[in-house]
Amino acid sequence: DNGDIHSWAAEEFVEVNLGDKRLNQKLIQLCDRFSEAPESPINQACEDWSETKSAYRFFQNESVEVGSIMAAHSAKTARRADKYETILALQDTSYFNYTSHPKTKGLGEISLKKGKNVKEIYSHGLSMHACLAVTTEGLPLGLLSLQISARESQSTRVKRSERNRFPIEEKESFRWLEALSETNSVMRNCRAVTVCDRESDIYDFFKLSNELEAPVLVRASSDRTINRKSRHAEKDVVKLWAYMKDQPEAGSYKIDVPRKSKSKHCSERSARSAILTFRFWPFRFNPPRNHPKHKTEELADIEINAIYVLEENPPEGEEAIEWMLLTNLDVLSFEQACEKVRWYGLRWRIEMFFKVLKSGFRVEACRLAHGDRLARYLTIMSIVAWRLFMITLIARTDPTQCCSSLLTGSQWIILFRKTNRKRDLPKEPPTIKEAVAWIAKLGGHLGRKCDGPPGTVTLWRGWKRLTNLCEGAELANY
């Protein structure tokens, strides 16, 4: 046995320091409670009124610093990464809407839209910029950075044209650089490749990555002018997309494109096979001509490799698949280009992580009356969400591993007896794949060939049932 049935939180936060041992213990208890009932409100997740009051006091306690919680978790994440040669550090931003809680203070404006009867509608909430560590096979290892903040109101924000004159440190986009620095400082023996979407396609981001010698992989957003010989050169210059289209084809690759349902963010797409053409070539990334730091320092060109992926003959009526990826990693062969494209394809993992938090855990329903309290709550729920998300994917990425890394001795024995009543208990613990299949069975997954792998919701239902079974067995042994 690996100890107490709720030992994952105790192990995760063995080095946490919130300034008081009672607060450390309360953090561990809250992680356990939310793991058992992640979709439940605080009062339902707690055992009784006394425990509920204690939880609310924890979130109200101003001495509980989000940074201290994250420092303990990110250090553990870095240790989990040590056994891998390379991991991917996936960065992205999400917004949590608490507009339906009008009495909540300490929130920021997260969006502005027009309504039928009013000119402007502001949404209020918090922004979260996260950096999720995953293996190159896609298994989530934990969070390396987490920044939760309230955006300024529209009235105090300056216009875009004026913002261009500000240094990066005074812009919202600085969060991409902060997360890169935090990732670089916490990682130990493993190479972390930071993977970001188009919002991070900023000169300063690549400049910092070179200074830190930190590898990055970014999807390009701007068809910028490249290879300028001087800051104001107008001759012999070219745009990025035109430059890459002129490069020789390195090879082609066939992929299966899944079906996509219509939503407010994207149009419907039928399932199909697509042949992608690859081109890769280096170029000089010039600093923007109007960069505010031109006055104080010499801004150098940056050598960057571009990988251009294009579906040249999409079916009629379908949008062509097209990616322009930028990296400071070596890309010297078609195989290396394919590897980087596959890595970027794993970026959706962090989008699924946010979906678990919002749709699964329903964190936007939480009422804690102040943004600072919600930040503490969201931090804890993010760590719990990572663990349950990891359980969802571990059977797909590391199926033959012994389940002792996921379950304690008492947990897997109770799980086996519940789901395999006619079989004798094995002498050795089962594999991860077997254990996750049994947890999914407790959650209602039938396990037929046509059912596909169990999803997050099914698994945390099964996990909740297993927790209840273990608690009952523990009480019966008193």
Side-chain angles (χ1 to χ4, degrees), residues 4 6 83 86 107 133 152 163 169 174 186 205 225-226 234 292 350 365 394 420 427 446:
D4 187 82
H6 302 311
K83 64 190 253 185
T86 299
L107 301 177
E152 294 178 347
R163 281 205 307 272
E169 293 80 5
F174 187 57
V186 77
F205 184 78
T225 300
I226 61 172
E234 297 293 344
I350 193 165
I394 194 169
N420 301 271
K427 293 181 180 180
L446 298 177

Side-chain angles (χ1 to χ4, degrees), residues 83 238 269 467:
K83 64 190 253 185
V238 67
R269 183 179 68 194
T467 302

Side-chain angles (χ1 to χ4, degrees), residues 191-344:
R191 179 179 68 160
V193 179
T194 295
V195 181
C196 307
D197 66 5
R198 288 176 279 205
E199 196 180 341
S200 68
D201 181 15
I202 311 165
Y203 171 81
D204 296 270
F205 184 78
F206 289 98
K207 178 174 177 286
L208 177 63
S209 68
N210 273 13
E211 290 170 357
L212 297 176
E213 297 183 352
V216 296
L217 179 64
V218 173
R219 188 175 179 183
S221 69
S222 174
D223 190 17
R224 59 174 52 81
T225 300
I226 61 172
N227 295 340
R228 285 201 315 263
K229 294 180 180 178
S230 65
R231 179 178 169 186
H232 297 287
E234 297 293 344
K235 295 182 179 180
D236 300 323
V237 295
V238 67
K239 296 287 188 177
L240 175 61
W241 256 257
Y243 175 77
M244 289 305 297
K245 285 177 180 178
D246 283 342
Q247 304 311 323
E249 290 185 16
S252 60
Y253 192 81
K254 186 176 182 180
I255 64 167
D256 293 321
V257 182
R259 178 183 172 276
K260 184 184 286 184
S261 301
K262 186 177 181 180
S263 70
K264 62 181 180 180
H265 298 297
C266 61
S267 56
E268 186 178 5
R269 183 179 68 194
S270 301
R272 70 179 193 274
S273 292
I275 297 176
L276 306 181
T277 301
F278 280 63
R279 292 175 173 85
F280 61 87
W281 209 259
F283 72 93
R284 286 197 314 280
F285 192 143
N286 310 116
R289 287 192 286 189
N290 61 347
H291 197 292
K293 290 189 178 178
H294 274 302
K295 300 174 183 177
T296 57
E297 61 181 279
E298 188 75 26
L299 297 178
D301 293 338
I302 302 172
E303 293 296 324
I304 292 289
N305 290 305
I307 305 168
Y308 184 44
V309 180
L310 178 65
E311 182 186 13
E312 296 190 333
N313 298 299
E316 188 176 347
E318 295 282 1
E319 187 178 350
I321 296 170
E322 183 181 24
W323 283 357
M324 181 75 76
L325 304 181
L326 310 179
T327 182
N328 54 2
L329 290 162
D330 288 338
V331 184
L332 303 174
S333 66
F334 175 60
E335 289 72 26
Q336 286 183 332
C338 288
E339 177 186 60
K340 306 306 180 289
V341 171
R342 188 175 63 81
W343 287 356
Y344 186 80

Side-chain angles (χ1 to χ4, degrees), residues 402 412 425-430:
C402 175
W412 79 257
L425 187 72
K427 293 181 180 180
E428 297 294 328

